[in-house]
Amino acid sequence: MNLLESIKRFYASSVGKKLLVALSGVVLLLFLLGHLAGNLLIYMGREAINDYGEFLHHMLHGTGVWFARLGLLAAVTIHVVATIHLVQQNRAARENRYAYETTVRASKASRTMIISGIIILSFVIFHLLQFTILPGPGDQGYYDDQTSDHLRPDVFGMVVRAFQNILVCLFYIVSMGFLCFHLSHGVASVFQTLGLRSEKTAAPIEWFGRAYAAFIFLGNISIPIAVQLGFVHL
Amino acid sequence: MATEKLNLTLKVWRQPSSTAQGEIVTYEAKDIPSTASFLEMLDIVNEELINKGDEPIAFDHDCREGICGMCSLTINGRPHGPGDGVTTCQLHMRSFRNGDTIWIEPFRAQAFPILKDLIVDRSAFDHIIQAGGYISARTGSAVDANAMPIPKPVADYAFDAAACIGCGACVAACKNASAMLFVAAKVEHLGVLPQGKAEKDRRVLGMVRAMDDAGFGNCTNQYECEAVCPKEISATYITKMNRDFAAASIKEAVVNEF
Amino acid sequence: MVSDISNDMPDSKIPSGPIADKWTKHKMDSRLINPNNKRKYTVLVVGSGLAGASAAATLAELGYKVKCFCYQDSPRRAHSIAAQGGINSAKNYQNDGDSVHRLFYDTVKGGDFRSREANVHRLAEVSTQIIDQCVAQGVPFAREYGGLLANRSFGGAQVSRTFYARGQTGQQLLIGAYSALSKQIADGGVEMYPRTEMLDLVLVDGHAKGIVVRDMVTGRVYSFAGDTVLLATGGYGNVFYLSTNATGCNVTAAYRAHKKGAYFANPCYTQIHPTCIPVSGSYQSKLTLMSESLRNDGRVWVPKKAGDRRLPSEIPDAERDYYLERKYPSFGNLAPRDIASRGAKEVCDEGRGVGDTGLGVYLDFSAAIQRDGEHTVREKYGNLFQMYEQITGENAYQSPMRIFPAVHYTMGGLWVDYNLMSNIPGLHVLGEANFSDHGANRLGASALMQGLADGYFVIPSTIANYLASETPGTVTTEHEAFREVEDEVRQRIDQFLSINGKRSVDSFHRELGLLVWDKCGMARDEAGLTEALQRIPELRAEFWENVRVPGDNANVNQELEKAGRVADFLEFAELLCHDARHRKESCGGHFRTEHQTDDGEAKRNDADFAYVGAWEHRGVGNEPELHKENLEFENVQLAIRSYK
């Protein structure tokens, strides 16, 4: 058996696919943390976050951002495709459902991962359209006109303008709610799938997962709220 | 202890054969002593059905003391019914109240096809064991039993996994009808013992693949299995197996075949 | 009265020479089959408990083609799994004076001098290999912190020779054998047929050459031909309806073989276990055993006054009768199983039994709780107290447990020679299904030992003594003998389905059980047995006229399965009572009230009954013919078992 076949075989197995979902999940989790850190720069003012945006775009002579984007795209693709396969198999494994269904321990979040996942995916597409793909040099306020030496995209202005719309804010907050919900099962689940949980660490890991989810949630929703409340303004 | 009499409504899955359509049928169970076991309650109902000229409800059972793993039944949606750490045969009617409606269904999973009424075919479990759930120890070739000391914690860890009775409640409870707890319990029982190390990688790969081939679902770390396991086997055995599977896969891919 | 007693027993093939050398000598003298030829022989193994699974796996390892059958849905479920206590072995790891000879001696004595010395010695010899084998398979026996195996003293033994895996020793050993069997199934050495019940034996020219089975899922009746048949089908305790056996345990395979000519030996030796949870009502389907270890700390008592219905806490100490301590001051509550059981029966017969049914005695832990604290008691017996509470709903830390004896194990079984072959050439019998090693009473932790000894170590060596003289594969299912037996089996099934009477199979089984328990249970007498022998045929006649078996034979039909088993119990019960009536002595699990000492102890009669009673079938309803194998004791002194 050559290496390629081994990889195929690994993917074909249930545990293999789960490991891939977990590993891609780790990539996405770390990205979320990094992304949040970047977002929070908004509280440091226009300069700070726009510097950060510029830094990202000029990393490795402008290729860095593309490496990151491709990496993230790969992670998302693996996460989604493997999950779809797993879900299909799971449905097939019990075609005839119980007439009387009950749940003993499984959390609501764990039972709705696919739904929260789809919502998050839709959100990500909207989010990318709104802040990455659609905005272009022709748009009003695209450039940061406060820097003197050169023109650069005004991340700060874009975000603040967007969150001045209450509907956009609500959409972001609700989406972050689903992300939080997804993570409340997902983070701890990563430890289980990667074989990093034990009787003794099970409870702390569970706690850590929820804390992580809450941190991402609170950090992210603070921005639209801050904009709405006028703490952050143009 | 005074014996109460219970009148119950039973909603029972009836299916004449593996190929026939099944349906939930309602029965009234009258004057069931609270001291009877759940299976004895079904015996009483069956006795009445027979006396009326009907076919009794078919269900698997054998030892009736919670160790053979033959009894199944999903009771009100929960495999082996209410109560932690018990099999259906150990469940007693005092767990129910007069007037209760009880739903009784088979262990549902595509990998456990229904043979009749509440009886399912769990031979998929045997096939998984055949794919590596053993230590190859030719009879007569063993060394002295005390030649290889095994630390008590290791022996205890192996024992906790070995307590599995192969009933299939983990599959029946799992939202995805996954057999991971069953497989992990055997993989880890044997894998952690020094005498089982030689076949460790081969075992975990073989058993997981056999599990997949049998049409069980995938684990989504919800721990329903652990919650209903009549032997209270911990889902951390699954954690350990995930790790062992990953390690064995890498070894298989880059070092040698098993 | 037994009309015919003949002494034309087949040769028991006990090797000559000193007892300690017999097995070695026998193995050396046994025939061998060339490895290339082994695969030409087909061995049919019926039953997949400790004996059956270990035999099937080991014979397949040796190269024989094995087909294995069990009525359960998987070979992992056989009732060996329920054994709690442990398995004896003369390892002497504790250095407390144990030896093969001591285990041999204890087993012969424990069997009340009614077993074959040579078989028992072999059992003691291979007991050490069993532990090695099981550990190699990954059986998680209890260990000490240093990593070495732990032992405990069990069932009143004076040495600690019992290996155990918490309270689940049987389960762990069976899973070990099952895993060995599974490997052989995967390797193609064994074809496994679960949910397949043997309904009859096929003889060709007087040799056992096949079986007729019923596929319990499709109802199909068909046959398998083989060069030899191994029955490892367990005991017949369910003739009493209520027992600690699994509900599916049955005598059919052994009894069908008996009807085809195999001698049934010592059926009256039935073991009643003293610490079971009492019956709570007529619906009860099974009795649950609690480990005997409870008697280490529990005190057994009943009220002194008959009919005393007060709560146990309201009965002052002076009005309690701790009858085991009173009658057996040195062993007290630890008196052996048969004695403790009989004690309970006596006090209940006197109307001093406790609980709603009056069939129970107290097992009281209050003294132990007071002495050692509830915590210590919980540590030792927590799981048993929990089990008791699950079943009875009572908290035994607060009020005493109620216990009562229950049928647990049957020492009798098909007669076999030293090679484990019955008097039918080619029919081998292993484990509880044979009669060979326990005499009139089995010691605790010896059943597992015997099952595995037979399967792993004895039959693999002795089977060639039969097979080597047989040309493999000469008989196929095309032989007309198969068609004849298949037709008989089908006719019987059709008959069950067509009677369409008014009573369920269970109702007959329950009635039979009560009758046998009453007349041939813990204490037996001539009048009762004679009455039973009269009533059993009546009940059987009613069964064949009035049983109702709903459904058909095209599918799973559990009533049909039970009907076949109960029909055989209805015949077998008669054999049991015949044997009990003929054995005019008390020994081990067989207590005849006419034969007791002045203080109520069992009185053996070595002059007239130191033999194996092997019965030959002579037609349903006819008295069986007794054959005697005299027991010679050259290495142990016949003595009276005393536990005073």
Side-chain angles (χ1 to χ4, degrees):
Chain A
M1 203 174 3
N2 62 33
L3 184 61
L4 189 67
E5 271 176 58
S6 292
I7 292 169
K8 274 191 200 159
R9 209 160 175 200
F10 178 74
Y11 185 79
S13 76
S14 55
V15 183
K17 279 194 280 286
K18 281 169 46 59
L19 282 163
L20 290 175
V21 172
L23 287 170
S24 56
V26 170
V27 171
L28 297 173
L29 284 174
L30 293 175
F31 165 74
L32 278 176
L33 200 61
H35 191 5
L36 174 61
N39 291 350
L40 293 179
L41 286 174
I42 204 160
Y43 294 113
M44 315 266 294
R46 172 174 285 196
E47 196 70 7
I49 194 162
N50 286 359
D51 280 351
Y52 173 64
E54 193 178 12
F55 161 73
L56 288 181
H57 280 267
H58 290 85
M59 255 191 319
L60 305 173
H61 303 286
T63 58
V65 71
W66 284 102
F67 279 123
R69 280 173 178 166
L70 287 175
L72 285 170
L73 185 67
V76 170
T77 309
I78 290 170
H79 202 73
V80 171
V81 172
T83 302
I84 290 171
H85 281 152
L86 288 170
V87 168
Q88 280 172 342
Q89 286 173 345
N90 292 345
R91 297 261 154 94
R94 183 175 289 128
E95 278 175 11
N96 298 311
R97 310 204 67 81
Y98 286 108
Y100 186 110
E101 296 226 26
T102 191
T103 296
V104 188
R105 186 174 303 172
S107 64
K108 195 93 191 158
S110 74
R111 286 182 284 136
T112 49
M113 289 299 272
I114 192 74
I115 296 167
S116 55
I118 288 168
I119 292 170
I120 293 162
L121 187 64
S122 325
F123 163 75
V124 168
I125 292 167
F126 175 86
H127 180 58
L128 286 174
L129 285 172
Q130 188 185 19
F131 286 149
T132 308
I133 299 169
L134 292 184
D139 289 355
Q140 186 221 351
Y142 179 80
Y143 289 113
D144 179 1
D145 46 16
Q146 294 185 347
T147 47
S148 48
D149 50 346
H150 65 277
L151 284 176
R152 62 175 185 183
D154 180 17
V155 178
F156 181 86
M158 177 173 71
V159 170
V160 174
R161 273 192 294 277
F163 286 150
Q164 278 168 345
N165 182 334
I166 182 82
L167 290 177
V168 171
C169 283
L170 286 177
F171 177 67
Y172 269 75
I173 291 170
V174 169
S175 298
M176 283 305 107
F178 279 102
L179 178 65
C180 173
F181 201 49
H182 197 78
L183 297 186
S184 73
H185 174 68
V187 176
S189 202
V190 162
F191 287 87
Q192 168 75 353
T193 303
L194 296 182
L196 304 171
R197 184 172 161 269
S198 67
E199 290 285 349
K200 284 185 182 169
T201 56
I205 284 172
E206 197 67 26
W207 178 87
F208 171 76
R210 296 208 172 131
Y212 194 99
F215 178 66
I216 297 283
F217 174 70
L218 293 174
N220 278 327
I221 65 162
S222 71
I223 298 169
I225 291 173
V227 171
Q228 280 292 318
L229 296 179
F231 294 131
V232 175
H233 53 83
L234 285 171
Chain B
M1 175 130 261
T3 306
E4 267 180 81
K5 296 280 183 180
L6 307 175
N7 292 322
L8 306 159
T9 304
L10 306 183
K11 302 271 188 186
V12 185
W13 183 260
R14 299 300 307 259
Q15 182 172 332
S17 71
S18 52
T19 48
Q21 277 288 324
E23 58 174 347
I24 295 279
V25 177
T26 306
Y27 297 96
E28 297 301 325
K30 299 265 181 236
D31 293 333
I32 303 297
S34 60
T35 47
S37 74
F38 196 84
L39 296 184
E40 286 163 354
M41 181 274 289
L42 286 178
D43 290 341
I44 294 170
V45 171
N46 275 346
E47 182 86 21
E48 263 178 46
L49 288 175
I50 295 167
N51 290 339
K52 277 197 295 189
D54 291 338
E55 270 210 55
I57 302 159
F59 60 92
D60 265 332
H61 60 94
D62 203 22
C63 79
R64 296 205 179 194
E65 53 182 285
I67 193 72
C68 76
M70 188 100 173
C71 67
S72 48
L73 305 190
T74 301
I75 300 162
N76 287 342
R78 182 172 169 152
H80 294 307
D84 292 338
V86 291
T87 56
T88 296
C89 64
Q90 295 171 299
L91 177 65
H92 279 68
M93 295 312 292
R94 71 179 72 85
S95 304
F96 297 91
R97 264 181 278 171
N98 191 31
D100 276 358
T101 296
I102 306 175
W103 291 72
I104 310 172
E105 296 177 75
F107 278 5
R108 291 194 189 277
Q110 291 311 106
F112 288 169
I114 296 173
L115 298 177
K116 182 175 184 173
D117 297 343
L118 303 167
I119 298 181
V120 298
D121 177 1
R122 287 167 286 189
S123 50
F125 271 12
D126 290 321
H127 299 148
I128 292 172
I129 297 293
Q130 286 155 21
Y134 48 76
I135 292 172
S136 300
R138 173 176 284 272
T139 308
S141 62
V143 296
D144 185 86
N146 258 351
M148 187 166 21
I150 300 172
K152 191 175 186 310
V154 174
D156 286 347
Y157 180 81
F159 189 99
D160 288 340
C164 172
I165 58 173
C167 64
C170 45
V171 173
C174 176
K175 301 292 176 193
N176 314 319
S178 166
M180 286 285 276
L181 189 62
F182 169 78
V183 178
K186 186 49 64 186
V187 164
E188 296 310 319
H189 156 212
L190 299 177
V192 72
L193 294 171
Q195 57 269 49
K197 294 266 194 250
E199 293 165 295
K200 189 176 177 218
D201 294 324
R202 189 169 181 262
R203 179 180 305 120
V204 67
L205 293 174
M207 289 181 73
V208 168
R209 283 166 189 159
M211 170 184 81
D212 293 343
D213 291 345
F216 291 103
N218 306 287
C219 178
T220 45
N221 308 335
Q222 294 173 300
Y223 314 131
E224 288 285 288
C225 50
E226 178 183 89
V228 304
C229 175
K231 299 297 153 189
E232 302 185 310
I233 294 173
S234 164
T236 53
Y237 288 104
I238 299 178
T239 327
K240 179 77 175 20
M241 182 176 76
N242 286 333
R243 192 160 81 214
D244 291 343
F245 181 85
S249 294
I250 293 168
K251 273 196 240 172
E252 186 188 47
V254 299
V255 188
N256 54 0
E257 312 270 317
F258 296 108
Chain C
M1 283 281 95
V2 177
S3 53
D4 247 316
I5 295 176
S6 70
N7 279 313
D8 52 333
M9 276 303 292
D11 181 6
S12 58
K13 303 217 174 72
I14 295 170
S16 57
I19 188 100
D21 300 337
K22 281 179 194 283
W23 177 229
T24 311
K25 176 175 180 304
H26 189 72
K27 281 193 283 187
M28 196 56 213
D29 295 344
S30 286
R31 304 187 59 179
L32 293 175
I33 295 173
N34 176 317
N36 291 325
N37 285 337
K38 283 203 188 96
R39 72 174 72 105
K40 296 176 187 158
Y41 288 94
T42 300
V43 180
L44 304 178
V45 180
V46 186
S48 64
L50 284 181
S54 58
T58 306
L59 292 171
E61 273 172 19
L62 289 172
Y64 295 108
K65 229 164 37 185
V66 178
K67 293 186 165 82
C68 184
F69 307 84
C70 69
Y71 74 78
Q72 298 90 346
D73 71 336
S74 160
R76 68 179 295 149
R77 308 216 194 275
H79 199 58
S80 308
I81 207 163
Q84 298 171 3
I87 177 167
N88 286 331
S89 172
K91 278 286 195 187
N92 194 28
Y93 280 159
Q94 304 303 320
N95 196 25
D96 57 358
D98 198 14
S99 64
V100 167
H101 194 82
R102 191 178 293 277
L103 176 56
F104 155 71
Y105 176 79
D106 287 353
T107 309
V108 172
K109 179 192 173 199
D112 221 354
F113 305 96
R114 289 293 175 264
S115 45
R116 258 191 217 144
E117 279 191 343
N119 284 54
V120 176
H121 199 278
R122 172 175 67 188
L123 177 67
E125 279 176 63
V126 302
S127 70
T128 58
Q129 284 172 279
I130 293 171
I131 301 303
D132 299 340
Q133 177 62 25
C134 293
V135 167
Q137 287 170 341
V139 170
F141 282 122
R143 286 180 184 268
E144 294 157 358
Y145 277 98
L148 299 178
L149 291 158
N151 291 113
R152 64 182 170 203
S153 150
F154 194 77
Q158 310 220 286
V159 291
S160 293
R161 62 161 74 103
T162 303
F163 293 77
Y164 60 100
R166 296 193 196 153
Q168 288 125 282
T169 317
Q171 181 203 17
Q172 295 309 319
L173 296 176
L174 183 67
I175 296 301
Y178 161 74
S179 66
L181 177 65
S182 294
K183 176 175 160 55
Q184 292 306 318
I185 294 170
D187 293 349
V190 178
E191 277 174 40
M192 186 70 217
Y193 296 87
R195 290 200 197 268
T196 303
E197 185 166 21
M198 169 181 162
L199 292 182
D200 218 331
L201 180 71
V202 181
L203 302 187
V204 174
D205 302 329
H207 287 230
K209 289 295 174 193
I211 58 172
V212 172
V213 302
R214 177 174 176 272
D215 180 324
M216 294 159 76
V217 177
T218 63
R220 180 179 165 222
V221 171
Y222 64 121
S223 303
F224 288 88
D227 296 292
T228 179
V229 176
L230 270 57
L231 297 187
T233 49
Y236 47 85
N238 273 350
V239 68
F240 294 91
Y241 185 67
L242 286 181
S243 78
T244 66
N245 284 2
T247 48
C249 292
N250 64 84
V251 77
T252 290
Y255 189 71
R256 294 273 128 195
H258 173 62
K259 286 182 89 169
K260 289 275 194 281
Y263 294 173
F264 210 109
N266 301 337
C268 75
Y269 295 154
T270 52
Q271 185 169 75
I272 318 272
H273 197 289
T275 50
C276 298
I277 298 175
V279 177
S280 59
S282 59
Y283 51 81
Q284 189 132 350
S285 59
K286 130 116 204 169
L287 296 173
T288 304
L289 177 125
M290 286 185 303
S291 170
E292 219 163 359
S293 61
L294 286 170
R295 289 198 284 144
N296 288 331
D297 281 304
R299 297 180 71 194
V300 177
W301 66 274
V302 290
K304 280 188 176 160
K305 248 191 356 242
D308 190 339
R309 309 304 291 170
R310 284 177 294 174
L311 287 172
S313 55
E314 293 167 358
I315 303 178
D317 215 50
E319 291 173 45
R320 298 175 176 188
D321 179 11
Y322 296 90
Y323 58 90
L324 285 177
E325 296 172 19
R326 175 171 55 81
K327 293 205 287 199
Y328 310 97
S330 69
F331 272 70
N333 294 300
L334 290 170
R337 288 178 181 178
D338 49 344
I339 288 170
S341 295
R342 232 168 21 245
K345 178 182 160 57
E346 274 165 28
V347 295
C348 292
D349 286 350
E350 292 161 14
R352 298 195 284 145
V354 299
D356 291 343
T357 58
L359 292 174
V361 299
Y362 289 125
L363 180 62
D364 198 333
F365 289 86
S366 55
I369 290 172
Q370 224 161 42
R371 184 184 64 228
D372 305 331
E374 186 176 319
H375 177 74
T376 310
V377 172
R378 192 182 291 276
E379 273 204 333
K380 279 199 210 168
Y381 309 113
N383 58 336
L384 295 166
F385 277 58
Q386 203 185 352
M387 182 168 88
Y388 183 79
E389 187 164 0
Q390 262 163 24
I391 294 175
T392 62
E394 292 169 22
N395 181 341
Y397 296 103
Q398 285 161 10
S399 58
M401 284 185 181
R402 287 173 297 108
I403 56 166
F404 198 64
V407 176
H408 176 54
Y409 185 88
T410 55
M411 282 72 68
L414 291 177
W415 182 89
V416 288
D417 63 17
Y418 194 71
N419 289 322
L420 299 183
M421 191 164 81
S422 72
N423 57 306
I424 296 178
L427 180 70
H428 294 85
V429 190
L430 283 67
E432 190 180 352
N434 74 25
F435 88 105
S436 72
D437 295 356
H438 304 298
N441 177 50
R442 180 180 64 74
L443 289 182
S446 283
L448 303 179
M449 175 171 69
Q450 187 222 340
L452 290 180
D454 286 0
Y456 282 134
F457 297 105
V458 179
I459 198 72
S461 297
T462 61
I463 200 167
N465 287 327
Y466 171 73
L467 289 177
S469 51
E470 294 291 299
T471 315
T474 43
V475 176
T476 69
T477 52
E478 300 302 308
H479 194 285
E480 64 179 321
F482 284 88
R483 207 156 332 116
E484 275 170 30
V485 181
E486 274 182 29
D487 285 346
E488 281 167 29
V489 168
R490 286 198 193 96
Q491 270 168 24
R492 202 164 115 109
I493 288 172
D494 290 344
Q495 203 179 341
F496 287 134
L497 293 168
S498 62
I499 296 168
N500 206 14
K502 293 206 158 51
R503 285 181 62 182
S504 71
V505 177
D506 278 350
S507 76
F508 283 101
H509 196 176
R510 231 177 260 130
E511 188 175 340
L512 174 71
L514 274 176
L515 174 64
V516 182
W517 174 248
D518 201 31
K519 306 295 177 197
C520 195
M522 277 186 282
R524 301 145 179 194
D525 63 31
E526 184 80 25
L529 290 164
T530 306
E531 192 190 331
L533 282 168
Q534 191 192 333
R535 281 175 55 196
I536 293 165
E538 291 167 8
L539 185 62
R540 187 167 64 229
E542 197 202 335
F543 174 86
W544 283 103
E545 274 165 22
N546 200 22
V547 75
R548 171 179 280 174
V549 182
D552 56 30
N553 188 34
N555 213 316
V556 176
N557 188 337
Q558 295 177 313
E559 289 302 305
L560 182 61
E561 293 161 17
K562 287 193 281 189
R565 296 168 190 164
V566 172
D568 288 332
F569 278 131
L570 281 163
E571 293 179 18
F572 172 78
E574 226 178 316
L575 176 67
L576 172 65
C577 294
H578 273 298
D579 187 42
R581 191 170 67 162
H582 114 278
R583 189 167 281 278
K584 295 182 186 2
E585 64 162 348
S586 296
C587 59
H590 172 64
F591 188 80
R592 285 285 298 261
T593 52
E594 307 96 319
H595 303 280
Q596 51 183 313
T597 60
D598 294 339
D599 45 5
E601 299 305 319
K603 202 159 111 190
R604 236 172 42 223
N605 178 352
D606 293 330
D608 299 324
F609 288 96
Y611 62 77
V612 174
W615 299 90
E616 182 179 352
H617 183 72
R618 294 202 307 188
V620 178
N622 297 334
E623 281 187 19
E625 183 177 332
L626 177 66
H627 302 263
K628 294 179 184 175
E629 178 195 336
N630 286 318
L631 293 169
E632 276 147 37
F633 294 93
E634 294 165 350
N635 300 279
V636 297
Q637 195 81 38
L638 270 72
I640 294 169
R641 285 166 77 218
S642 171
Y643 297 93
K644 291 257 170 196

